[in-house]
Amino acid sequence: MSKTITPLIAGNWKMNGVSASLAELTALGQALTAGPAPRAIVVICPPATLLAAASAHGASSGILTGGQDCHPAKSGAHTGDISAAMLADAGAQYVIVGHSERRANHGETDELVRAKAEAGFAAGLKPIICVGETEAERDAGQAETVVERQLAGSIPDSEATFVVAYEPVWAIGTGRTPTNAEIAQMHARIRGVLTARFGERGASVNILYGGSLKPSNAREILAIEHVNGGLVGGASLLAKDFAAIISAV
Ligand code: PEP
């Protein structure tokens, strides 16, 4: 892991969690404050219904929060959607955009993801911009081409801070992960794309790995060059698993 970038470990609770689940956040806070200070920025992205409470809960233990998605518009007639400003108002500092589940289930294009990231910037949030190939694309030898296309289309031209999460779609929630060499190759490629486009600034962007990250594989994956943290789904739901991943940094 790069020495100049503070690692970031973000938990994506997806559509899981009711108010009782905040007990996991309390337990996580206790775990983080009991031992040595975490060497990572810790972010939890709960469902929007829990965001304000989670932000208040996390404050005393240094746990930051993020939204899981936002609408590109500031406000308006968009029933059921949530704006970046609303997330910020609920205490969020980050917002996940372009998660593969949104790209697949809601037909989100790179163009839309980019607009959402811009909305995040406008609200003062740091977007976590997700990219990643499907299994068919990897099998066809197109993984890097696909990820490069997603990076080019999804990241806005801006001076604002953003995070990239490389999440191979076939590794999400499946228990399967790429080999360390495959992760290293893709992260180096992403770093190359970011520095080519953003210069020095691109060298300091956190590039997270996501996809079946768990306590048993976190240490080796998080040690790979240009892996500057992780985006964690299933294993972020239980405080003890998430704390173990954070302490693997
Ligand atoms: C995710 O959906 O962002 C993710 C990484 O999920 P999981 O950790 O469950 O594979």
Side-chain angles (χ1 to χ4, degrees), residues 19-27 29 50-63 65:
S19 31
S21 317
L22 293 170
E24 289 302 320
L25 214 50
T26 306
L50 294 181
L51 192 50
S55 302
H57 251 73
S60 59
S61 44
I63 302 169
T65 58

Side-chain angles (χ1 to χ4, degrees), residues 24 31 44 113 118 149 170 176:
E24 289 302 320
I44 285 286
V113 173
E118 276 165 354
R149 192 184 63 228
W170 51 275
R176 297 164 56 206

Side-chain angles (χ1 to χ4, degrees), residues 160-179:
T161 304
F162 64 92
V163 175
V164 169
Y166 167 58
E167 301 204 300
V169 178
W170 51 275
I172 293 179
T174 60
R176 297 164 56 206
T177 56
T179 64

Side-chain angles (χ1 to χ4, degrees), residues 10-12 14 96 99-101 130 165-169 171-176 209-214 230-236 245:
N12 174 11
K14 310 192 184 191
I96 298 170
H99 190 282
S100 63
E101 287 154 14
C130 301
Y166 167 58
E167 301 204 300
V169 178
I172 293 179
T174 60
R176 297 164 56 206
Y209 169 78
S212 297
L213 200 58
K214 48 193 175 204
L231 181 54
V232 187
S236 70
I245 292 173

Side-chain angles (χ1 to χ4, degrees), residues 46 54-55 68 94 103 115 163 174 189 193:
S55 302
Q68 297 178 11
Y94 291 81
R103 290 179 186 263
V163 175
T174 60
R189 189 74 211 104
V193 168

